[in-house]
Amino acid sequence: MKSPQALGLALIAALALSACQDKAAAPEDIRPVRYIVAGGQAEIGGDSYAGEIRARNETQLAFRVAGKVAAKLVNNGERVKKGQPLARLDPSDYQLDLAAKQAQLAAAESDLAQQQLNLKRYRELLAKQFISQAQVDAQQNGVNAAQAKLKQARAALDASRNQTGYATLAADADGVVSQVQAEPGLVVAAGQPVAKLSQDGPREVAIQVPENALDAVRRASGFRVTLWKGGAPLEGKLRELSADADPATRTYPARIALSGDSRSLQLGMTAAVALPARASGELKLPLTAILDLQGKHYVWTVDDKTLRVSRKPVEVASIDSDGASIASGARAGDKIVTAGVHLLREGQRVKLLGQ
């Protein structure tokens, strides 16, 4: 029979063993994490610029004469044909001028006819020796002057007809009227733009290039153009890059010509123009993957077999809006934790949630 002391020791041992078993059975803290697989010699995407689809040939239309707009014949977005009237000025003054020039021409013709008739009579009188040769020569000079005045009157009439015709603004090519400012009652000066015509034909993407990207845009062999409406990406090439910055935005306007048949694209569509990707010898990681402790940088890598994390020191070459470039410390193919890096501990088991 066991003594009470032995029974007490046995009971204590049993309780201790039970406590150890309960402690061992406690669930392990497994933290879910997001991750990426680091790539080697990855391509860094080039800069991208927002733009809009524009016609290659855009014409600012204006009246060649001054006057008051009497009628607007088209609206924004209308398709027009070459020679179609777009707007008209009040032609009253030009019609009066045309009538005056026609009267001047009639007077010049009448004067020439009279001078020629007088010359004929002077020659007849000269043949009968009733007048001198000097008088005939003077009359011949009058005929020559009348002929010059007639030519002047005809030129003035033609100019007046042109001025009257200029009171009607017509499209100089097939296309779409993308802007009209000629409202009835508006008094315009000669050459003042009142409409913009986007001619039919190839389409382009208009973008604005910042000054720090001019060299990259000039050297680019091509561009990748994606449309906001979706669809397959398009290829483009730089056709025009302005030498002067826009005074308002301080950026340089550029035009990207699209390859293939682009006439089906609607004017004003939103597009993104991306420079070609460039090869990089450095790994590119998201900023959220970098753990900064006392001025040093680390990343958490995940072991494929045990699913436990390990902290590795890394050397950050550069940081930009796209992420951090890693010069050393991480290798291509490493699974790098990208979220919650400040909440992990060495050797902790994790559950991978995907990239």
Side-chain angles (χ1 to χ4, degrees):
M1 185 173 182
K2 296 183 179 180
S3 65
Q5 183 178 5
L7 291 174
L9 293 174
L11 179 59
I12 292 173
L15 291 174
L17 179 60
S18 175
C20 292
Q21 290 175 348
D22 291 342
K23 184 176 181 180
E28 184 178 3
D29 182 17
I30 301 177
R31 182 171 295 278
V33 296
R34 296 191 180 278
Y35 75 99
I36 64 169
V37 178
Q41 300 294 326
E43 286 189 339
I44 300 177
D47 295 334
S48 180
Y49 306 99
E52 64 173 331
I53 301 298
R54 302 273 287 275
R56 173 170 295 185
N57 298 312
E58 295 178 332
T59 307
Q60 294 287 349
L61 302 178
F63 289 102
R64 298 173 65 173
V65 293
K68 180 179 180 181
V69 178
K72 183 180 75 170
L73 306 178
V74 295
N75 295 309
N76 290 342
E78 288 191 21
R79 178 165 295 279
V80 296
K81 296 293 185 180
K82 182 177 181 179
Q84 180 177 337
L86 307 180
R88 287 194 180 96
L89 296 178
D90 182 358
S92 301
D93 293 340
Y94 298 105
Q95 290 174 348
L96 291 174
D97 183 72
L98 179 61
K101 295 300 191 296
Q102 290 173 336
Q104 292 176 4
L105 176 61
E109 290 174 342
S110 177
D111 182 58
L112 176 59
Q114 182 61 48
Q115 294 295 334
Q116 290 175 336
L117 181 60
N118 291 340
L119 178 59
K120 180 180 178 181
R121 292 172 179 171
Y122 275 41
R123 286 175 176 171
E124 292 176 352
L125 294 174
L126 177 62
K128 299 178 181 180
Q129 297 185 354
F130 289 152
I131 59 175
S132 65
Q133 182 64 44
Q135 291 176 298
V136 175
D137 294 341
Q139 184 57 39
Q140 180 65 55
N141 186 60
V143 171
N144 295 340
Q147 289 175 337
K149 289 180 181 179
L150 177 61
K151 183 181 296 186
Q152 180 184 17
R154 285 173 176 167
L157 179 60
D158 290 341
S160 182
R161 286 194 179 114
N162 290 341
Q163 296 289 311
T164 304
Y166 296 154
T168 298
L169 180 64
D172 55 3
D174 295 347
V176 175
V177 178
S178 54
Q179 188 178 21
V180 179
Q181 299 172 336
E183 296 296 335
L186 176 67
V187 177
V188 298
Q192 176 182 340
V194 296
K196 184 169 74 171
L197 177 66
S198 298
Q199 298 183 18
D200 290 342
R203 299 293 189 241
E204 297 180 340
V205 184
I207 61 174
Q208 301 290 330
V209 181
E211 59 186 65
N212 62 345
L214 290 176
D215 290 339
V217 171
R218 288 194 185 100
R219 292 195 302 264
S221 59
F223 299 86
R224 179 184 176 91
V225 180
T226 55
L227 301 176
W228 180 256
K229 75 177 185 66
L234 305 174
E235 298 298 325
K237 287 189 176 182
L238 179 67
R239 186 185 69 83
E240 179 181 290
L241 178 60
S242 176
D244 295 329
D246 185 279
T249 63
R250 305 308 305 165
T251 55
Y252 294 78
R255 289 295 189 99
I256 307 301
L258 299 176
S259 60
D261 187 1
S262 58
R263 291 175 295 179
S264 61
L265 298 179
Q266 298 298 315
L267 299 174
M269 282 183 170
T270 303
V273 177
L275 272 70
R278 62 184 187 277
S280 173
E282 302 169 345
L283 295 178
K284 196 76 170 183
L285 298 179
L287 293 177
T288 55
I290 307 301
L291 176 63
D292 190 350
L293 293 177
Q294 299 179 349
K296 295 183 179 180
H297 300 98
Y298 302 88
V299 296
W300 291 103
T301 60
V302 181
D303 185 272
D304 289 332
K305 296 180 179 179
T306 64
L307 294 182
R308 297 185 182 274
V309 295
S310 176
R311 191 176 72 183
K312 287 186 177 181
V314 294
E315 180 182 352
V316 177
S318 62
I319 295 178
D320 54 32
S321 59
D322 296 327
S325 296
I326 307 302
S328 62
R331 297 177 301 175
D334 286 347
K335 291 183 177 179
I336 308 294
V337 177
T338 60
V341 295
H342 293 84
L343 303 177
L344 298 176
R345 64 178 184 273
E346 183 69 27
Q348 183 175 8
R349 191 175 179 183
V350 295
K351 178 181 178 181
L352 302 181
L353 297 180
Q355 303 186 23

